[in-house]
Amino acid sequence: MNEPETTVPYSAEPGAEADPHDNRRQVLYWRLLARLFDPEEQAALESASLAVVEDIGLPPNLLDPGASVDSIVQRHPELAAEFDGLMVPEPGPDGDTDETRDRPAEVRRAALVSKVLLNVFSTGTGAVSAGQLARWQSDAGWLERALGRTPGELRGGRAGGGRGVGPTGSGGNGGTPDLSRLIPQIGPELGALEGDLVKRMHLREVLADPALAARLTPSMSLIEQLLRDKNNLSGVALANAKALIRRFVDEVAEVLRTQVEKATVGAIDRSVPPKRVFRNLDLDRTIWKNLTNYSPEEERLYVDRLYYRHTARKTTPQRLVVVVDQSGSMVDSMVNCTILASIFAGLPKADVHLIAYDTQALDLTPWVHDPFETLLRTNLGGGTDGTVAMALAQPKIAEPRNTVVVWISDFYEWRGEPLYDSMAALHRSGVKFIPVGSVTSSGRGSVNPWFRERFKDLGTPVLSGHIRKLVHELKTFLT
């Protein structure tokens, strides 16, 4: 294609010919800067950027500020892998020169980097809806993934941990900006942007008005904000926030309870007499056993005895210890697993314990039957130190072979090796250890690859995906 015309100059060394790939990359970055500081479109930059994006095979809606990264990835799933680690610098080969750099790849990365930066840092002005907040939180998660972190990690104050980002410097991914060395500053900045969006929602004012609060639709993003802000609410606003949380908890509980009921396993216990209720009536057996009482003259069957189906299943007392990472990136799992633990706590002979942790651990077992009260006692966000949770979990294991420990986390730990060693020791003692990487409705989640490989070698692969998988695993063990 012909090079797009633009008013953006390209400075080359005297006597050097301008590189077309560098020109394209500069066009994309000049457009990014223009849109960040001025919401008005610059026609020349927009048309030039569109020509570049189409020429390198990326979808044109990548340039649409109203399109979230999620929506683009849903339509073009192959791009998800490109966003992951996009801004993590990669050490180039020895003697890396202009001739050996992959210039077309640099242009492609520039387009993707521009998209995620514009979506996160161009938040506009004015009132914000709950949907807009949710979209921004999703885009911020993609920025954190691009920086080699997990969604919510930087906003949760975990910049010091997580996966390594490699060496810093201007080299990195060729022309891709190396933002990894700015991570200590990016985390607070993202938190400030999110706080500003919540403030612009006027959420506290909405909660203080029962009529407006009643119009809010409970969603995971809204519940997260309510749980984070609950300590700053009082009076009517706090009461309305609790009502929204309870409403959401009840809706999710109804869905999860149905999934638990459908995951029926375990042998029938015929030593337990069947309940003599209509739903257990075995009509076929009743007719068969009473056929001798049939009167041909009257064409009637006289029933001397009714027969019922056995429905009780053999169970043995089991102890379930659920440990949940309550840091910023695990909010969805925290909500789902708190509700799930309460459902399993209602099963006969199931002894359920619940522990939540970030850099401190909290034993929530006294409230495990009430997920609403449990969630009100959580403190979302912070770092991650699973060793403090392990210190609470180990004393609860009296009979290892009669105990299952479910550990829900992304496993980006500050003290990874000591925690893994203690987990491996639990497994060797006879405990059924189930590491879980995500417990969400969508099944999406990220797991530290260091832990993932070691759990696989241990024979306890990380269970991640839809929550139905965890429901089946637990029901199989407990019944």
Side-chain angles (χ1 to χ4, degrees):
M1 65 170 246
N2 295 327
E3 278 300 309
E5 295 182 4
T6 175
T7 57
V8 180
Y10 172 74
S11 299
E13 292 293 332
E17 185 178 349
D19 187 291
H21 298 300
D22 281 341
N23 273 344
R24 293 172 178 175
R25 188 164 51 84
Q26 286 203 19
V27 164
L28 294 170
Y29 284 139
W30 275 111
R31 174 187 177 272
L32 169 64
L33 292 174
R35 294 301 295 259
L36 284 174
F37 292 102
D38 186 355
E40 294 295 326
E41 290 187 0
Q42 301 293 323
L45 285 173
E46 292 296 326
S47 60
S49 297
L50 178 60
V52 170
V53 166
E54 290 180 336
D55 188 55
I56 60 178
L58 288 173
N61 63 339
L62 195 73
L63 299 178
D64 179 5
S68 66
V69 178
D70 256 345
S71 67
I72 292 174
V73 169
Q74 286 172 4
R75 295 182 183 181
H76 308 277
E78 70 280 0
L79 293 180
E82 292 192 57
F83 278 107
D84 276 328
L86 180 67
M87 301 181 197
V88 177
E90 298 173 355
D94 292 338
D96 189 22
T97 65
D98 285 348
E99 288 73 20
T100 60
R101 286 164 58 189
D102 189 346
R103 296 303 182 92
E106 290 177 17
V107 178
R108 190 176 182 90
R109 280 193 292 266
L112 298 175
V113 167
S114 297
K115 174 60 180 175
V116 72
L117 289 179
L118 182 60
N119 276 30
V120 171
F121 289 101
S122 180
T123 57
T125 58
V128 174
S129 68
Q132 288 173 312
L133 175 63
R135 196 197 79 168
W136 182 91
Q137 289 170 328
S138 172
D139 286 333
W142 282 104
L143 174 59
E144 288 165 315
R145 290 173 64 166
L147 289 168
R149 294 297 198 263
T150 55
E153 182 177 345
L154 299 182
R155 285 167 285 157
R158 297 164 61 186
R163 69 186 87 169
V165 293
T168 59
S170 59
N173 291 332
T176 303
D178 175 14
L179 300 182
S180 60
R181 55 186 171 182
L182 299 178
I183 282 178
Q185 290 77 38
I186 290 177
E189 181 63 24
L190 290 178
L193 284 172
E194 186 172 31
D196 177 63
L197 289 171
V198 172
K199 183 178 179 181
R200 284 159 54 189
M201 278 184 69
H202 303 295
L203 185 58
R204 295 178 189 176
E205 288 78 359
V206 171
L207 291 172
D209 185 331
L212 292 177
R215 291 164 57 186
L216 289 175
T217 300
S219 63
M220 189 62 74
S221 59
L222 178 60
I223 297 308
E224 177 182 351
Q225 295 309 316
L226 295 176
L227 290 174
R228 289 183 186 277
D229 203 33
K230 62 183 184 296
N231 294 329
N232 299 317
L233 301 175
S234 61
V236 174
L238 180 60
N240 286 328
K242 288 183 176 181
L244 283 166
I245 295 172
R246 184 175 287 282
R247 181 175 153 197
F248 184 77
V249 165
D250 290 344
E251 289 174 358
V252 175
E254 183 177 354
V255 174
L256 296 185
R257 191 173 291 109
T258 300
Q259 293 181 6
V260 171
E261 291 171 353
K262 287 182 178 179
T264 303
V265 293
I268 296 293
D269 188 353
R270 299 193 179 277
S271 65
V272 179
K275 289 185 178 180
R276 297 177 179 274
V277 294
F278 180 76
R279 70 172 179 271
N280 290 342
L281 179 64
D282 190 338
L283 189 59
D284 291 342
R285 191 178 179 211
T286 297
I287 294 173
W288 177 257
K289 290 289 187 180
N290 289 280
L291 278 178
T292 55
N293 300 326
Y294 179 71
S295 172
E297 294 81 10
E298 300 178 70
E299 295 185 348
R300 287 189 178 183
L301 178 66
Y302 291 92
V303 177
D304 291 334
R305 178 182 173 186
L306 296 174
Y307 291 84
Y308 296 87
R309 297 184 185 90
H310 289 77
T311 56
R313 297 185 179 271
K314 294 181 179 179
T315 62
T316 55
Q318 304 283 11
R319 174 162 291 188
L320 169 62
V321 181
V322 181
V323 183
V324 188
D325 177 353
Q326 66 169 354
S327 60
S329 60
M330 298 297 294
V331 175
D332 206 338
S333 290
M334 182 72 219
V335 173
N336 278 289
C337 287
T338 296
I339 298 170
L340 193 60
S342 72
I343 294 171
F344 278 106
L347 294 178
K349 300 182 180 180
D351 182 20
V352 180
H353 296 254
L354 179 62
I355 297 170
Y357 77 98
D358 41 38
T359 54
Q360 298 181 358
L362 180 63
D363 189 348
L364 297 169
T365 304
W367 303 278
V368 73
H369 288 86
D370 189 339
F372 170 71
E373 290 295 333
T374 301
L375 286 171
L376 290 184
R377 285 168 171 78
T378 59
N379 185 26
L380 302 179
T384 311
D385 185 0
T387 60
V388 297
M390 183 62 76
L392 276 183
Q394 285 174 328
K396 296 178 179 292
I397 304 171
E399 300 178 36
R401 297 194 178 279
N402 200 32
T403 304
V404 57
V405 174
V406 178
W407 198 291
I408 301 110
S409 175
D410 53 13
F411 298 100
Y412 286 97
E413 294 283 341
W414 288 356
R415 294 189 283 179
E417 291 193 23
L419 177 60
Y420 172 76
D421 291 342
S422 59
M423 290 173 169
L426 285 185
H427 174 67
R428 289 192 296 268
S429 72
V431 169
K432 181 174 177 59
F433 183 75
I434 305 177
V436 182
S438 65
V439 186
T440 66
S441 55
S442 65
R444 296 180 62 177
S446 174
V447 176
N448 186 334
W450 187 90
F451 269 89
R452 185 187 290 278
E453 289 302 314
R454 278 153 183 79
F455 285 140
K456 184 178 179 181
D457 294 340
L458 189 64
T460 59
V462 175
L463 179 68
S464 59
H466 201 283
I467 195 170
R468 282 193 298 264
K469 293 183 181 180
L470 180 59
V471 168
H472 180 75
E473 287 284 329
L474 294 181
K475 196 76 180 289
T476 300
F477 187 81
L478 293 174
T479 60

